[in-house]
Amino acid sequence: MATHLELPAGGRMPILGLGTWQSLQGAARDAVEFAIDVGYRHLDCAHMYQNESEIGDALRHKMEQGVVSREELFVVSKLWSTFHERSLVKEACQKTLAALQLDYLDLYLMHCPMGFKAGEELFPADGNGMIIPSNTDFLDTWEAMEELVDVGMVKAIGVSNFNQKQINQLLGKPGLRHKPANNQIESHPYLPQEELIKFCQAKGISVTAYCPLGAPNWPGSKPDHISLLDDPQVKEIALKHNKTPAQVLIRLQIQRNVSVIPKSVTPQRIEENFKVFDFELSAEEMETLLGFKKRYRICALTQCKNHKDYPFLED
């Protein structure tokens, strides 16, 4: 089974990475250090997670210890929506590089196709709690991101939370110089995204799945939300392989040739989530896991649903 995905620009992205979203300040540094010790080399970061400077401390510490070299790491970060104006893109990337204490990123993603009003607030909202958009076009933002590749700040660029139509718009852009290398999307058995994943892969765009475990600790999740980790069918498959439900859900994505970034700050789980290369799900098990009728999008960004570039209208 592949342990890496080949990117169009020539990079190799480890198929399994550590997600760092919701890794609160204090926990992120220890989580990243432990993950590197366990063998993780792909780290998924973002300005919006507000923990990049701690992750930077962890990376520097591990490199100083000689545990890992910069070339062995694959570090991803993302351009947040308040920086979509062309004039803000380079500075946003520089801030991320400074926080992570790195000279370059392996992959820099547009965190989502929607531009928000520029300023200090991550989620600038109006009186009704709806996001205030910027009058930017993600095609212009992309051109500014292409320039980051030209100057060596990033090795590759990609997108996140883009739907099929938006990817087609980007691919059809006149004068496109760098194709998106990756689309990072929410995916798990309650949101398998079969069509979008097949579409991206057919276009030579790698896919990364976030929330692969169904985000059990999502801030707004209600007690009546069935946790994927407690789903009887997932548990049954896990039992059969003598694995945990989380390991089964991670393995599911790997077997779809999708990169996967489970988030944890618990050492035991970080280690457990990495032990997914010693078993294989059968075709029937894959079919079961991708055939659930329940549909649930965790990261629906409902406060943005009036935005001209809201990506989830097809749900």
Side-chain angles (χ1 to χ4, degrees):
M1 200 67 223
T3 55
H4 289 74
L5 296 181
E6 303 291 334
L7 298 184
R12 294 178 82 240
M13 174 165 67
I15 202 159
L16 178 59
L18 180 75
T20 62
W21 178 56
Q22 286 189 291
S23 297
L24 300 175
Q25 282 154 355
R29 177 180 171 150
D30 292 345
V32 169
E33 291 209 20
F34 184 78
I36 289 172
D37 287 340
V38 165
Y40 286 79
R41 295 295 177 261
H42 169 180
L43 301 160
D44 183 76
C45 313
H47 171 77
M48 194 269 275
Y49 307 162
Q50 298 186 288
N51 55 13
E52 288 192 320
S53 55
E54 284 188 64
I55 292 168
D57 288 341
L59 297 179
R60 192 191 64 213
H61 188 217
K62 286 289 138 194
M63 287 192 266
E64 282 174 354
Q65 283 183 332
V67 174
V68 72
S69 68
R70 173 64 189 97
E71 296 68 39
E72 292 171 291
L73 292 171
F74 192 95
V75 183
V76 182
S77 187
K78 308 180 193 80
L79 176 77
W80 184 238
S81 297
T82 51
F83 302 106
H84 275 210
E85 286 166 39
R86 291 182 69 137
S87 59
L88 301 177
V89 170
K90 189 173 184 181
E91 188 188 345
C93 186
Q94 281 167 333
K95 274 187 184 161
T96 275
L97 286 172
L100 291 169
Q101 303 177 47
L102 298 175
D103 297 325
Y104 68 89
L105 293 169
D106 295 277
L107 179 61
Y108 196 45
L109 306 177
M110 197 184 308
H111 206 140
C112 101
M114 301 178 284
F116 301 166
K117 182 186 150 207
E120 289 301 302
E121 279 182 89
L122 289 174
F123 292 93
D126 63 19
N128 300 316
M130 297 304 279
I131 286 292
I132 304 169
S134 58
N135 58 354
T136 50
D137 181 327
F138 63 73
L139 297 179
D140 294 331
T141 310
W142 185 258
E143 285 185 7
M145 289 178 68
E146 289 182 317
E147 290 167 17
L148 303 176
V149 182
D150 301 337
V151 297
M153 289 168 69
V154 306
K155 299 268 190 202
I157 48 177
V159 294
S160 179
N161 299 304
F162 271 52
N163 64 29
Q164 202 164 314
K165 185 177 161 210
Q166 290 167 330
I167 288 172
N168 266 330
Q169 276 178 273
L170 185 50
L171 292 175
K173 176 187 157 327
L176 182 75
R177 294 190 300 116
H178 295 284
K179 257 182 68 172
N182 180 259
N183 186 16
Q184 184 177 126
I185 56 173
E186 178 181 340
S187 183
H188 44 76
Y190 296 158
L191 191 71
Q193 304 255 44
E194 285 280 87
E195 200 183 319
L196 181 56
I197 289 173
K198 286 186 171 127
F199 168 79
C200 289
Q201 290 175 336
K203 298 278 185 190
I205 300 167
S206 67
V207 177
T208 299
Y210 71 76
C211 292
L213 312 179
N217 301 320
W218 177 261
S221 56
K222 305 172 189 72
D224 62 339
H225 284 166
I226 304 165
S227 161
L228 254 174
L229 299 175
D230 294 326
D231 189 291
Q233 288 177 286
V234 176
K235 286 165 87 167
E236 190 185 338
I237 292 170
L239 198 63
K240 199 169 136 191
H241 289 278
N242 200 18
K243 289 288 181 181
T244 65
Q247 288 169 323
V248 166
L249 295 171
I250 293 164
R251 181 73 200 181
L252 166 70
Q253 302 298 347
I254 291 173
Q255 285 185 217
R256 303 168 90 192
N257 216 26
V258 166
S259 156
V260 56
I261 46 171
K263 169 257 161 185
S264 179
V265 292
T266 315
Q268 181 200 339
R269 288 203 196 109
I270 290 172
E271 188 160 11
E272 181 187 288
N273 290 349
F274 200 71
K275 293 180 174 168
V276 289
F277 295 100
D278 58 354
F279 75 108
E280 193 154 342
L281 299 168
S282 69
E284 293 76 33
E285 288 166 338
M286 291 288 289
E287 211 171 294
T288 299
L289 293 168
L290 294 172
F292 288 3
K293 291 290 169 270
K294 184 182 167 78
R295 282 293 168 269
Y296 182 61
R297 187 184 282 279
I298 295 157
C299 193
L301 302 172
T302 45
Q303 72 274 41
C304 309
K305 66 176 186 290
N306 299 334
H307 197 291
K308 68 178 171 70
D309 295 317
Y310 183 70
F312 308 138
L313 291 172
E314 77 284 5
D315 288 4

